[in-house]
Amino acid sequence: MVDMPSMEPAVFHAPFRDQFETFLDEHRSALHDSLDGLTEEQARRSLVASKTTLLGLVKHAAFVEKVWFDEAVACRSRAEIGIPDSPDESYDLDDGDTIASVQRAYRKACAASRRATAELALDDLVRGNRRGPLPLRWVYLHMLRELAQHCGHADILREQVLREDAEGQAAP
């Protein structure tokens, strides 16, 4: 189970930025940890019609971090960052993608996101997004929405993978 610092009384009255970052980090941690204890096959298992797998979902989350904090905040192009042009491509798994490598890349992307915003205030405008200038507050809210959605997907996929394997082991 993911530690829930957002439920600590000190966070209830913390400045908004601290609250945003606490919730972001909880969601980041939950998504990262969704791969813990799985085999490589389980993490790559396709259970839905889309490209979504648990491993692909965490890989996509690293892409999202880079889009919002490296592209939008740091104003670097996707080519310069080395990420796909489209979100759909960010789910694609290479032969070399493993649980360890994808989790490492995700941790690295999250750490870079924290560094990119360290000196910004919530109302500071970030200028690298295609929508035009946006306040950092909006980026944080958008990321919370996106990560919450992906954490829900990861919970369901993980449950399906583990259930399939439990049922397969129980069969005569």
Side-chain angles (χ1 to χ4, degrees), residues 29-112:
S29 179
L31 196 52
H32 173 279
D33 295 349
S34 70
L35 296 171
D36 288 352
L38 298 179
T39 66
E40 296 295 332
E41 183 278 325
Q42 288 172 321
R44 287 175 169 271
R45 193 177 300 165
S46 179
L47 299 167
V48 293
S50 71
K51 293 181 180 183
T52 306
T53 64
L54 277 164
L55 193 62
L57 195 56
V58 177
K59 187 174 181 179
H60 168 73
F63 164 84
V64 171
E65 292 282 341
K66 292 175 182 182
V67 165
W68 284 104
F69 296 100
D70 208 356
E71 182 180 28
V73 174
C75 298
R76 296 176 62 209
S77 72
R78 291 185 186 194
E80 185 180 357
I81 300 165
I83 58 174
D85 289 330
S86 75
D88 187 55
E89 294 172 272
S90 71
Y91 288 91
D92 293 343
L93 297 173
D94 302 323
D95 291 341
D97 287 330
T98 64
I99 292 169
S101 71
V102 168
Q103 283 181 319
R104 185 173 42 257
Y106 185 50
R107 285 191 308 270
K108 185 177 176 183
C110 293

Side-chain angles (χ1 to χ4, degrees), residues 17 69 73 107-120:
R17 183 185 179 115
F69 296 100
V73 174
R107 285 191 308 270
K108 185 177 176 183
C110 293
S113 297
R114 289 183 202 96
R115 285 191 304 276
T117 60
E119 302 299 320
L120 298 177

Side-chain angles (χ1 to χ4, degrees), residues 13-34:
H13 304 290
F16 285 137
R17 183 185 179 115
D18 294 344
Q19 291 177 347
F20 280 137
E21 291 176 351
T22 297
F23 277 81
L24 279 169
D25 283 341
E26 280 179 3
H27 285 78
R28 288 167 171 155
S29 179
L31 196 52
H32 173 279
D33 295 349
S34 70

